[in-house]
Amino acid sequence: MAKAKLDTHLVSLTDPASFAAEQYQGLRLTVERLARGRDVKVIAISSPAAGDGKTVTAINLAGALARGSDDRVLLIDADLRRPSVARQLGITDAQVGLADALSDGRTSVADVVRRLDAYNLDVIPAGTPRTGISQILRSPRLEAFLQEARQRYAYIVLDTPPLVPVFDSALLAKSVDGVLMVVSANQTPRKLLGEALNMLDGSKVLGIVFNRDARPLFGYYNAYYREYFPDVSQVASGA
């Protein structure tokens, strides 16, 4: 696929030498450390609610991982209700994707991938659900599809729906190695973060990414990482 016109928020791809992009490089190093210690390869990105910046974080993390790897990285738009990965990446032929592959057992990973060769990144759009989304995500085909992807890619990043409004991310979490929770600093209520974390198996939560920190060293598009602790109030107090 030709080099597309990208959303300017995607600093890992559009401005990799910027200070903002360096923050995602730091997140990449954290993920690589976790991968060595916990065999983490398939990572879901979620948030307590809409508007916390999970999609921008997912794309920037995938871009940072791809830039730091000789092997290709796969980004999957698993937010089947409100997909936005293809739009932000300027992918126009996004009618077929994850939903179609999960609904049709004959469709392989290669059949639905869009290649962004300029960034060493492959992308699977959300596609077009033809049955109930919960039914699609409960399909045993999901595990088989991700297993196929594991054989092809160094890392797989899934942009998943917010946790509190719908149960989709909780269903997806069963098939991934870990979940990064994105919260908007000084905006996401502590109670909502606690509710979102309680919906997940605690062993799957890799950490919390604080987005849009208002301190002078951090701009609107930057994110920094905190390890996950069982005491949610302690973690959220940094927001």
Side-chain angles (χ1 to χ4, degrees), residues 129-202:
R130 293 177 172 80
T131 59
I133 291 173
S134 294
Q135 180 182 346
I136 293 174
L137 297 179
R138 291 179 187 275
S139 167
R141 173 65 180 146
L142 173 62
E143 188 67 40
F145 187 81
L146 290 178
Q147 188 59 37
E148 180 188 353
R150 286 175 186 271
Q151 308 305 314
R152 295 172 175 261
Y153 295 95
Y155 290 100
I156 301 150
V157 178
L158 284 77
D159 178 37
T160 69
L163 269 155
V164 176
V166 293
F167 292 100
D168 299 359
S169 289
L171 294 173
L172 286 160
K174 298 176 182 178
S175 299
V176 304
D177 300 327
V179 179
L180 283 173
M181 184 75 67
V182 178
V183 301
S184 186
N186 304 304
Q187 176 177 313
T188 304
R190 197 176 303 174
K191 182 178 179 181
L192 194 64
L193 172 58
E195 185 177 345
L197 291 171
N198 287 335
M199 295 175 68
L200 297 171
D201 176 356

